[in-house]
Amino acid sequence: MKDIARDLGVSVITISKVLRNHPDVGDQTRKRVLARVKELDYRPNLAARSLVTGRTYLIGLVVPDLLHPFFAEIAKSISDVLRQSGYYLIVTSSDEDPELEEQEIDQLLARRLDTLIVASCRTTVDLFFRIEKQNTPYVLIDRSLPGLTANFVGVDDDAVGVLATKHLIDIGCKRIAHIRGPETSPGIRRMEGYKRALAQGGLKIIDDYIIAEPKGDVETQQGGREAMRQLLNREPRPDGLFCFNDPLAMSAMNYALDQGLRIPEDIAVIGCGNLHYDDSLRVPLSSIDQHSRRIGAEAARIALVILKSKVPPKPESVVLRPELIVRASTQRRVARREVS
């Protein structure tokens, strides 16, 4: 760094700011420094820098599944925001297994990462109390934990359940099933919203129409197909289906189509997540938009606020409002409801 600073006639601090992508450097100077860095193939010693600053400039992200597009979009959004401030993301998966989640978090803590961002599959808070004792800040995303006062970013999951189920009622469905998620806050609250919308719509809650998927965000292809197989064997057969997430909805819908059913005429299907390929399926899937990119951006913003604060700020909770996205899987002529 001293050599580059001497060559260009600038200070070592300026070189350091450019390498950390600090905004307090003019464009012309930045270009000159980066060109010289590239010419010399210079790589800063991050381990040495962390010893001096007490920071690794790394943030860990733990999610249930690396293949789930919802979490992939969150990870990309987090990474985009962090990169602008010179921080970088390390991503790992719990596979919806609490023990594996704890192991992965312990590995990240051992590397002294500056902050953790976690979509936890746990139902207890002991692990997070332990993280707090180590003075490592963290942000929960997508899933909150009762009894834990922590930074959180996610969607209003009760509203997700109400919005999806009410939409099925509005298009004339009278026998609405639900493929529910795991015993985490989204799985529990989306089912509560589903039941509340049925009650408000004057429809019965039928336990046989609720199929539980313990690993709602992993192994969705087989899980969705098996759940739909069970539902199609119910008498009477459901005419509407709200799924915990889009991957479950897509596999359930594909199974129904393979059995010769028409969607949405025989059974209307709606998911949650609004994944970017929902409109490229055999029948484009209606969905509830959780604003995954905004979840990632808000989580990154909170993490950076924590890292830049001399005094730990009070925990912040960001709860986003879901949005209904209607596509062909629920676009059918509205049936006139019978007056009782």
Side-chain angles (χ1 to χ4, degrees), residues 56-331:
T56 61
Y57 294 89
L58 296 173
I59 290 177
L61 173 64
V62 184
V63 295
D65 183 23
L66 295 175
L67 298 178
H68 193 319
F70 171 69
F71 293 112
E73 288 188 1
I74 287 178
K76 183 180 187 309
S77 181
I78 293 173
S79 183
D80 289 345
V81 174
L82 294 180
R83 193 181 299 116
Q84 296 174 22
S85 295
Y87 286 84
Y88 295 89
L89 193 65
I90 294 178
V91 186
T92 187
S93 169
S94 68
D95 197 29
E96 206 75 76
D97 181 338
E99 290 187 7
L100 181 56
E101 178 182 305
E102 183 169 1
Q103 292 174 22
E104 293 297 319
I105 287 177
D106 284 342
Q107 287 295 319
L108 294 175
L109 291 174
R111 286 162 174 75
R112 304 189 67 81
L113 271 67
D114 296 330
T115 309
L116 291 174
I117 300 174
V118 185
S120 180
C121 62
R122 303 179 70 82
T123 56
T124 58
V125 298
D126 53 317
L127 173 61
F128 293 94
F129 287 153
R130 184 157 61 81
I131 294 171
E132 290 173 4
K133 286 182 179 179
Q134 295 187 34
N135 295 318
T136 301
Y138 63 90
V139 181
L140 297 179
I141 58 169
D142 186 51
R143 300 149 176 224
S144 60
L145 284 168
L148 188 65
T149 303
N151 293 289
F152 171 75
V153 184
V155 72
D156 184 338
D157 286 300
D158 184 85
V160 167
V162 170
L163 195 58
T165 308
K166 186 178 182 302
H167 173 59
L168 293 173
I169 293 171
D170 289 344
I171 64 170
C173 296
K174 299 184 193 295
R175 302 180 303 280
I176 300 173
H178 178 42
I179 301 177
R180 62 154 299 177
E183 290 294 326
T184 55
S185 60
I188 293 168
R189 291 174 185 163
R190 288 176 200 177
M191 185 175 69
E192 289 174 349
Y194 156 79
K195 290 182 175 180
R196 186 152 62 90
L198 290 180
Q200 291 173 348
L203 299 179
K204 290 182 179 180
I205 298 169
I206 301 173
D207 290 340
D208 278 352
Y209 285 172
I210 301 174
I211 306 292
E213 275 301 314
K215 287 193 170 186
D217 284 312
V218 299
E219 302 172 1
T220 52
Q221 184 169 0
Q222 183 58 35
R225 292 182 67 86
E226 174 57 23
M228 180 62 97
R229 185 193 68 77
Q230 293 179 43
L231 290 172
L232 294 184
N233 287 328
R234 301 288 192 257
E235 289 293 343
R237 189 172 65 196
D239 61 357
L241 173 62
F242 162 46
C243 295
F244 171 71
N245 60 26
D246 281 0
L248 284 171
M250 288 185 286
S251 56
M253 192 166 61
N254 284 337
Y255 181 84
L257 292 169
D258 291 343
Q259 302 308 303
L261 273 70
R262 300 168 302 160
I263 296 176
E265 292 83 0
D266 296 321
I267 182 168
V269 180
I270 185 168
C272 179
N274 193 33
L275 303 182
H276 58 83
Y277 47 69
D278 283 346
D279 55 2
S280 63
L281 306 171
R282 280 190 281 175
V283 178
L285 177 65
S286 292
S287 185
I288 304 298
D289 195 342
Q290 296 174 257
H291 308 293
S292 55
R293 301 218 169 183
R294 190 175 164 199
I295 289 174
E298 289 289 335
R301 177 189 64 78
I302 292 173
L304 291 172
V305 166
I306 294 170
L307 291 169
K308 293 175 182 178
S309 300
K310 293 182 179 179
V311 178
K314 290 183 179 179
E316 186 176 347
S317 181
V318 178
V319 180
L320 307 176
R321 296 295 301 173
E323 180 184 356
L324 172 66
I325 307 296
V326 178
R327 297 188 179 90
S329 69
T330 61
Q331 285 179 333

